[in-house]
Amino acid sequence: MSGVELSFLPVAGVQLATGAAGIRYHGRDDLLVLALAPGSSAAAVFTRNAFCAAPVTLARQHLATTAPRYLLINSGNANAGTGERGLVDAQASCAALAELTGCLSEQILPFSTGVIGEPLPVERLAAALPELLTRLDVSAWSLAARAIMTTDTVPKLVSRQFELNGQTATVTGIAKGAGMICPNMATMLAFIATDATVAPALLQRSLEQAVAGSFNAITIDGDTSTNDSCVLIASGALGNPLIDHAESAEYAALQTAVDAVCLELATAIVRDGEGATKLVTVRVEDAANVAEARQVAYTIAHSPLVKTALFASDPNWGRILAAVGRAGVTDLDIARVQIDLGDVRIVSNGGRSPDYTEAAGAAVMAVAEIVIRVILGRGAATAQVLTCDFSYDYVRINAEYRS
Amino acid sequence: MSGVELSFLPVAGVQLATGAAGIRYHGRDDLLVLALAPGSSAAAVFTRNAFCAAPVTLARQHLATTAPRYLLINSGNANAGTGERGLVDAQASCAALAELTGCLSEQILPFSTGVIGEPLPVERLAAALPELLTRLDVSAWSLAARAIMTTDTVPKLVSRQFELNGQTATVTGIAKGAGMICPNMATMLAFIATDATVAPALLQRSLEQAVAGSFNAITIDGDTSTNDSCVLIASGALGNPLIDHAESAEYAALQTAVDAVCLELATAIVRDGEGATKLVTVRVEDAANVAEARQVAYTIAHSPLVKTALFASDPNWGRILAAVGRAGVTDLDIARVQIDLGDVRIVSNGGRSPDYTEAAGAAVMAVAEIVIRVILGRGAATAQVLTCDFSYDYVRINAEYRS
């Protein structure tokens, strides 16, 4: 774990504390509680994996019942694939925190990340809570970002500010995730808070829009997790007039800040992808529709052959071309397809571009951030996916780590 | 290349010769010609990759025009992603062989495998043909299996015999492929011949059926090649009465033999998958329909997390469960899902099976051939996919090899 101090801005109305419950890891924090001021709104999106984890099921139920007062998060154990017992354990965790804080179980949202299929050690988790609650503080975001890490090598913590009715509002968020990353709703875990006052429906709308362009547009290995959850809190501590109109300048300012925080956190996840040495943007343009553009982008981003070529810094564009060709685009006219690596045109008219040189391709591939641009020549739709390469370390981490 | 002698049965009416054209490799054969007796029938299936290689385009055209007399195959260069020039080069290769043999260019089917995007060195290829043609022989199958290899570590050659009207008929085939293997029609290259006399339409039907259960049900890395081609030749040299009725016992006997040869070749390809240490059968049962069963099977077979766990011999069933959950099955009731690893039930009722022990799971994972069985509890459809694990060597091979 890095000792680097992360810079961030606290969010009034949101207090945090971390603790070491010894759930799986030793000598590090693995438990996080966020305490939300009364009157806070919460929005959330969750994994679409049918085998969603017990805490995902319970958090969904609780959120549908009432506004949350606490988020309870543990790392080291996903409480997924744990059947009926998993649900009982998640409920027991919430009940323990509810009893200590005097709120209802339904006012607590539980989240877990880590190994799948092991029972959650509820007693150890509950035992760590009393001392942890004595340390709730608005300034513990950096500790929080570390407490939720699993195979992550760096904590992910991002802040933005924006002007709201003459005041300065803040959006701060943390995220974790390095493998089993192909979110289909949200990444494994991300928690974002603002001190603005926002109507719940608009908060949900804002989160969904931000997630579509950030956490839902990244992939490390194509494996959508069982535990993906992303929460956006609005504490209202700023005291601004309620944002309740989607066409307002205030909502637009909030959206810009939430978008920026989500995109920066999502980018940090890909950059920290298991074994990753390169950050790769796959951009598909001039598609007939967005679904088709995404399909081509994900086919490239998931191709083990493309990913290993990226690791080798090999401008092996034949593999990109083969991935485009097998992406299932109906009646693709390959003569109209163009492929660029950075600012180098490598494919035009279905074959190698006449101007292309291996040296030019190699120069682009040598850098740490690469843009693959595919122009389909079929329409006006665009999609973009962030991904990383496939290295020896990806295999090592996933052959050694029981996730 | 192994020095082991492969056992096989020659096919009357089919002669072969190999040569070293120095297309990319040095000190080994990289050129193969199959000469077919007059009156031979041919059936073929090709890649569905939109960026199909020039030889695939040309072979399709030639096959639609007339019955082939020669197959011309090179390794080391795929002649894919080569645009208009690729087509000219493939035509020139056929023309060279046509001139030497006195047949029409259209009677030659060209096939290429190897690096994508480099021009085919037609002159070197043509220069090697005259001497090669002096050595055409029915017994060169073993040399042929070696000449078409790229990253393959072993040649793939399979023979079967079957009774036909009191005579013994033979089916012999070769295949190559170790990476970019997720055939969508056929594997990279496979050539199968029988001496039986078979009506062309039935030959095509037989091949398509055999391919569906063999080459089209394997995956190494999910990357469908630009060059996949599979050809079945019936030389008719046996002189049996024409097989022209799909309900006949003769057709059934042929189908059984062709199925067996294709499945054994396809299995050999997976076993020789780049960096593979394990042969894995993913079998999905009780699905609502075959498409759904295939979707779940391929999601598991393509999951980098499942594949690295297989490499580590780690019974990490949570990754299998997560793959099932994200496979996109509508309204999946996870309480009905069961997952077996070999003969060990690991998941039932949406969670770890009560009888499951880590020791039992580890014992199954320790062997070289593993069956993952997923029972969806939704219907009666089944699908099966063969795959392999993901190892350091997969990354090494694909980071080092320009394919």
Side-chain angles (χ1 to χ4, degrees):
Chain A
M1 219 162 320
S2 155
V4 175
E5 200 46 47
L6 295 165
S7 72
F8 65 92
L9 299 160
V11 177
V14 178
Q15 293 184 302
L16 311 90
T18 60
I23 287 167
R24 181 180 176 87
Y25 309 117
H26 297 281
R28 57 157 279 195
D29 288 351
D30 55 6
L31 195 60
L32 166 65
V33 171
L34 276 81
L36 316 179
S40 292
S41 304
V45 288
F46 298 98
T47 181
R48 285 189 183 131
N49 193 309
F51 273 103
C52 72
V56 169
T57 302
L58 198 62
R60 273 202 189 104
Q61 286 174 11
H62 286 185
L63 201 57
T65 309
T66 183
R69 291 294 310 282
Y70 292 91
L71 310 186
L72 172 59
I73 304 130
N74 73 273
S75 57
N77 184 309
N79 194 8
T82 42
E84 205 44 53
R85 158 134 190 219
L87 216 52
V88 171
D89 288 343
Q91 281 161 339
S93 307
C94 291
L97 182 57
E99 195 181 331
L100 290 165
T101 58
C103 73
L104 301 170
S105 269
E106 289 73 18
Q107 292 175 305
I108 295 166
L109 303 183
F111 303 90
S112 298
T113 180
V115 66
I116 297 178
E118 299 290 329
L120 185 70
V122 181
E123 289 186 12
R124 293 208 292 279
L125 188 155
L129 286 174
E131 191 271 338
L132 181 152
L133 292 173
T134 65
R135 291 182 285 102
L136 281 169
D137 192 286
V138 293
S139 64
W141 283 94
S142 181
L143 292 173
R146 289 183 165 85
I148 61 174
M149 289 164 61
T150 55
T151 56
D152 307 64
T153 67
V154 293
K156 288 117 190 148
L157 171 54
V158 174
S159 289
R160 282 286 188 288
Q161 288 191 314
F162 62 101
E163 289 303 308
L164 204 51
N165 308 108
Q167 290 183 287
T168 300
T170 300
V171 180
T172 293
I174 57 174
K176 64 82 53 182
M180 205 176 261
I181 295 288
C182 179
N184 187 0
M185 273 315 269
T187 187
M188 292 190 76
L189 293 181
F191 304 98
I192 302 145
T194 177
D195 50 357
T197 314
V198 188
L202 274 192
L203 198 66
Q204 183 70 30
R205 175 182 166 142
S206 175
L207 178 62
E208 288 177 10
Q209 181 184 318
V211 163
S214 58
F215 298 116
N216 276 2
I218 64 175
T219 183
I220 287 173
D221 46 21
D223 280 296
T224 304
S225 157
T226 48
N227 290 54
D228 293 344
S229 304
C230 180
V231 178
L232 173 61
I233 300 295
S235 73
L238 191 67
N240 61 294
L242 180 71
I243 301 178
D244 63 353
H245 189 357
E247 310 306 318
S248 65
E250 290 74 20
Y251 180 75
L254 169 76
Q255 187 67 58
T256 301
V258 173
D259 281 350
V261 168
C262 286
L263 184 60
E264 194 167 324
L265 286 173
T267 304
I269 285 175
V270 177
R271 213 185 281 278
D272 194 26
E274 288 171 347
T277 70
K278 292 212 162 65
L279 178 71
V280 185
T281 302
V282 182
R283 189 173 168 80
V284 177
E285 299 177 10
D286 296 358
N289 53 61
V290 172
E292 172 180 294
R294 280 177 68 90
Q295 190 177 328
V296 173
Y298 275 106
T299 304
I300 296 167
H302 287 156
S303 162
L305 290 176
V306 171
K307 290 169 97 80
T308 46
L310 286 162
F311 169 56
S313 298
D314 178 3
N316 195 328
W317 55 270
R319 294 180 182 175
I320 301 171
L321 175 144
V324 173
R326 73 176 167 89
V329 176
T330 312
D331 300 325
L332 178 67
D333 179 0
I334 65 168
R336 299 177 68 99
V337 175
Q338 302 183 332
I339 303 178
D340 294 350
L341 214 50
D343 53 3
V344 178
R345 168 113 336 151
I346 49 176
V347 170
S348 55
N349 300 318
R352 185 162 63 178
S353 186
D355 300 336
Y356 177 74
T357 64
E358 191 76 1
V364 172
M365 290 294 271
V367 299
E369 302 202 1
I370 295 169
V371 178
I372 297 172
R373 183 163 165 252
V374 177
I375 301 157
L376 293 178
R378 291 162 60 86
T382 294
Q384 185 168 306
V385 170
L386 275 180
T387 191
C388 56
D389 58 337
F390 234 175
S391 69
Y392 294 110
D393 277 353
Y394 180 87
V395 177
R396 183 184 56 73
I397 291 163
N398 284 298
E400 288 177 4
Y401 176 72
R402 173 65 77 92
S403 68
Chain B
M1 221 160 319
S2 156
V4 176
E5 200 46 47
L6 296 165
S7 72
F8 65 92
L9 300 159
V11 177
V14 177
Q15 294 185 301
L16 310 92
T18 61
I23 287 167
R24 182 179 175 88
Y25 308 118
H26 296 282
R28 57 158 279 194
D29 286 352
D30 55 6
L31 196 59
L32 166 65
V33 171
L34 276 81
L36 316 178
S40 293
S41 303
V45 289
F46 298 98
T47 182
R48 286 190 183 132
N49 193 308
F51 274 103
C52 71
V56 169
T57 302
L58 200 60
R60 273 201 189 103
Q61 285 174 10
H62 286 185
L63 201 58
T65 310
T66 182
R69 292 294 311 283
Y70 292 91
L71 310 186
L72 172 59
I73 304 131
N74 74 273
S75 57
N77 185 309
N79 194 8
T82 43
E84 205 46 52
R85 158 135 190 218
L87 215 51
V88 171
D89 287 344
Q91 281 161 336
S93 308
C94 291
L97 182 57
E99 194 180 334
L100 291 166
T101 58
C103 72
L104 301 170
S105 270
E106 289 73 17
Q107 293 175 303
I108 296 166
L109 302 183
F111 303 90
S112 298
T113 179
V115 66
I116 297 178
E118 299 291 329
L120 184 70
V122 181
E123 289 185 12
R124 293 207 293 279
L125 188 155
L129 286 174
E131 192 271 338
L132 181 152
L133 292 173
T134 65
R135 291 181 286 102
L136 281 169
D137 191 287
V138 294
S139 65
W141 283 94
S142 181
L143 292 172
R146 289 184 165 84
I148 62 175
M149 289 165 61
T150 56
T151 56
D152 306 64
T153 67
V154 292
K156 289 116 191 149
L157 171 53
V158 174
S159 289
R160 283 287 188 286
Q161 287 190 317
F162 62 103
E163 291 302 307
L164 204 52
N165 308 107
Q167 291 182 287
T168 300
T170 300
V171 180
T172 293
I174 57 175
K176 64 81 52 180
M180 206 177 261
I181 295 289
C182 179
N184 186 1
M185 272 316 268
T187 187
M188 294 189 74
L189 294 181
F191 304 98
I192 303 144
T194 178
D195 51 357
T197 315
V198 188
L202 274 192
L203 199 66
Q204 182 71 29
R205 176 182 163 142
S206 176
L207 179 62
E208 287 177 8
Q209 181 184 317
V211 163
S214 58
F215 298 116
N216 276 3
I218 64 175
T219 183
I220 288 174
D221 46 20
D223 279 295
T224 304
S225 157
T226 47
N227 290 55
D228 293 344
S229 304
C230 179
V231 178
L232 173 61
I233 300 295
S235 73
L238 191 68
N240 61 294
L242 180 71
I243 300 178
D244 63 353
H245 189 356
E247 309 306 318
S248 65
E250 290 74 19
Y251 179 73
L254 169 76
Q255 186 67 58
T256 301
V258 173
D259 280 351
V261 168
C262 286
L263 185 58
E264 195 167 324
L265 287 173
T267 304
I269 285 175
V270 178
R271 214 184 281 279
D272 194 26
E274 288 171 347
T277 70
K278 293 212 162 64
L279 178 69
V280 185
T281 302
V282 183
R283 189 173 167 80
V284 177
E285 300 177 10
D286 296 359
N289 53 62
V290 171
E292 171 180 296
R294 281 176 66 90
Q295 190 176 325
V296 173
Y298 274 107
T299 303
I300 297 168
H302 288 156
S303 162
L305 291 175
V306 171
K307 291 168 98 80
T308 47
L310 286 163
F311 169 56
S313 298
D314 178 3
N316 194 329
W317 55 269
R319 295 181 182 174
I320 301 171
L321 176 144
V324 173
R326 74 175 166 88
V329 176
T330 313
D331 299 326
L332 178 66
D333 179 0
I334 65 169
R336 298 176 69 98
V337 175
Q338 301 181 334
I339 304 178
D340 294 350
L341 214 49
D343 52 3
V344 178
R345 168 114 335 151
I346 47 175
V347 170
S348 54
N349 301 317
R352 185 162 64 178
S353 185
D355 300 337
Y356 177 74
T357 64
E358 190 77 2
V364 172
M365 290 294 272
V367 300
E369 302 202 1
I370 294 169
V371 178
I372 297 172
R373 183 164 165 252
V374 177
I375 301 158
L376 293 178
R378 293 162 59 85
T382 294
Q384 184 169 308
V385 170
L386 274 180
T387 191
C388 57
D389 58 336
F390 234 176
S391 69
Y392 294 110
D393 277 353
Y394 180 87
V395 178
R396 183 185 55 73
I397 291 164
N398 284 298
E400 290 177 2
Y401 177 73
R402 174 64 78 91
S403 69

